[in-house]
Amino acid sequence: MSKSFIDKKSKQPLYKQLKMLLMRYIEENLSEGDSLPIESEIEKLYGVSRATVRKTIDELVSEGVVKRIQGKGTFIQSKKIVQTAGAITSWTEEMRLRGKEIHTDNTLLLELEPSQKIREELKLTPNEKVICLKRTRYSDGEPIAIMINYMRGKFIPGFLEKGLQRESLYETLEEEYNIRLEKAYERIQARVATDLEAVELQIPPESALLHLTRVSYLKDGTPFELVEMSNRGDRYQYHIELNGRNKIKHIN
């Protein structure tokens, strides 16, 4: 393993930094079935405690990236990109956290008359139009996802003319329009790729996709954006943390 440094003065927890470094090491150097270096080696190399190493590996296990085999070690199980649900983050931010080289292709930006589905999801007024931003997103030179954002044009005047000012749409919205998304609801379903999606993502026809639909809201509860994102099933997975159980009232 090559030497990388952890910033112990950073506000980001040590295990989060270590996780990012290990994910980068796995992506660049290991294949599925290869063994991860032993805990003592990781501890010594990065200058962190054994507890930090174990917490990091526990997260990688829970996300399906590695698996422990009693008496043998820890082995790479999947090199899929893992997106953690629970906070509103942009695709760009997720990839940066994992040390990925990213770029965008096949960008399409236009104003359009919304479909009935978009109208209902965003609670649009009768004559209101939306701005559509369609992109193919690449990670380390490989097409990973097709993303379509439908946004309420009246909140972002001039966007159609100026276009996307940064790689991250959400950074553009925050910096240029002072728009911060405070809440979102997501639906995820498995389906097969259309012929066009297969071409854009460079995968065989009818390959498995994870399709995400997200509606994002402003602070006052106004729906602002509908996202339709088709992710390659062989390179993507979602990690959702659940806490506790709801109490169920029993009726006699």
Side-chain angles (χ1 to χ4, degrees):
M1 293 181 70
S2 59
K3 179 68 174 177
S4 298
F5 294 96
I6 284 181
D7 183 3
K8 294 187 176 180
K9 295 181 180 180
S10 172
K11 293 181 180 180
Q12 187 178 41
L14 295 180
Y15 80 92
K16 292 283 189 183
Q17 296 184 57
L18 179 59
K19 179 182 174 183
M20 182 178 67
L21 293 172
L22 288 180
M23 286 291 292
R24 184 181 304 172
Y25 173 75
I26 290 170
E27 285 288 334
E28 294 177 353
N29 300 280
L30 302 179
S31 301
E32 293 184 21
D34 288 347
S35 62
L36 197 66
I38 60 176
E39 291 182 357
S40 59
E41 183 179 344
I42 298 174
E43 176 186 357
K44 182 178 179 180
L45 182 65
Y46 293 106
V48 294
S49 68
R50 185 66 60 88
T52 297
V53 174
R54 286 179 177 168
K55 182 175 178 61
T56 303
I57 294 177
D58 283 345
E59 281 218 353
L60 294 178
V61 170
S62 70
E63 293 176 4
V65 177
V66 301
K67 61 179 177 180
R68 289 190 177 100
I69 299 179
Q70 188 68 31
K72 293 186 177 181
T74 304
F75 297 86
I76 310 307
Q77 180 167 272
S78 172
K79 293 180 71 173
K80 292 184 178 182
I81 294 170
V82 178
Q83 180 166 339
T84 303
I88 301 175
T89 56
S90 71
W91 189 91
T92 302
E93 290 166 341
E94 287 283 347
M95 296 305 106
R96 285 175 180 165
L97 283 173
R98 285 153 180 76
K100 302 288 186 180
E101 293 291 333
I102 57 176
H103 78 273
T104 300
D105 201 0
N106 299 327
T107 299
L108 177 66
L109 179 63
L110 71 161
E111 184 181 64
L112 53 76
E113 194 75 36
S115 66
Q116 186 62 30
K117 175 187 175 182
I118 297 173
R119 191 172 296 283
E120 291 175 355
E121 293 275 21
L122 296 180
K123 296 181 172 57
L124 302 177
T125 57
N127 297 318
E128 192 173 352
K129 294 184 178 181
V130 295
I131 290 177
C132 172
L133 174 64
K134 178 181 179 293
R135 296 166 288 170
T136 302
R137 315 303 302 272
Y138 285 69
S139 171
D140 291 341
E142 185 178 29
I144 297 296
I146 299 170
M147 183 180 300
I148 306 176
N149 301 76
Y150 300 98
M151 299 169 287
R152 301 180 71 167
K154 68 180 185 180
F155 290 96
I156 46 176
F159 186 91
L160 200 61
E161 293 73 29
K162 291 188 292 185
L164 197 59
Q165 300 297 303
R166 295 167 175 77
E167 181 70 32
S168 169
L169 170 61
Y170 288 177
E171 287 180 5
T172 298
L173 293 175
E174 290 170 359
E175 296 295 329
E176 301 293 327
Y177 297 96
N178 197 30
I179 289 178
R180 299 190 64 86
L181 303 176
E182 298 290 337
K183 182 176 68 173
Y185 293 104
E186 292 185 350
R187 302 189 299 271
I188 302 170
Q189 68 180 86
R191 63 172 177 82
V192 297
T194 65
D195 290 344
L196 180 58
E197 288 171 332
V199 171
E200 289 192 34
L201 293 174
Q202 299 175 21
I203 54 178
E206 298 190 349
S207 294
L209 296 180
L210 284 178
H211 185 82
L212 175 146
T213 301
R214 172 194 286 181
V215 180
S216 305
Y217 297 80
L218 304 178
K219 188 174 182 179
D220 64 0
T222 301
F224 167 76
E225 168 203 47
L226 171 66
V227 183
E228 298 280 358
M229 184 164 65
S230 300
N231 304 288
R232 283 176 51 172
D234 63 331
R235 300 292 288 126
Y236 226 88
Q237 67 178 220
Y238 284 86
H239 176 229
I240 301 173
E241 181 176 324
L242 306 176
N243 294 293
R245 279 172 47 80
N246 291 331
K247 292 184 178 180
I248 301 176
K249 293 183 179 180
H250 295 281
I251 302 175
N252 295 324

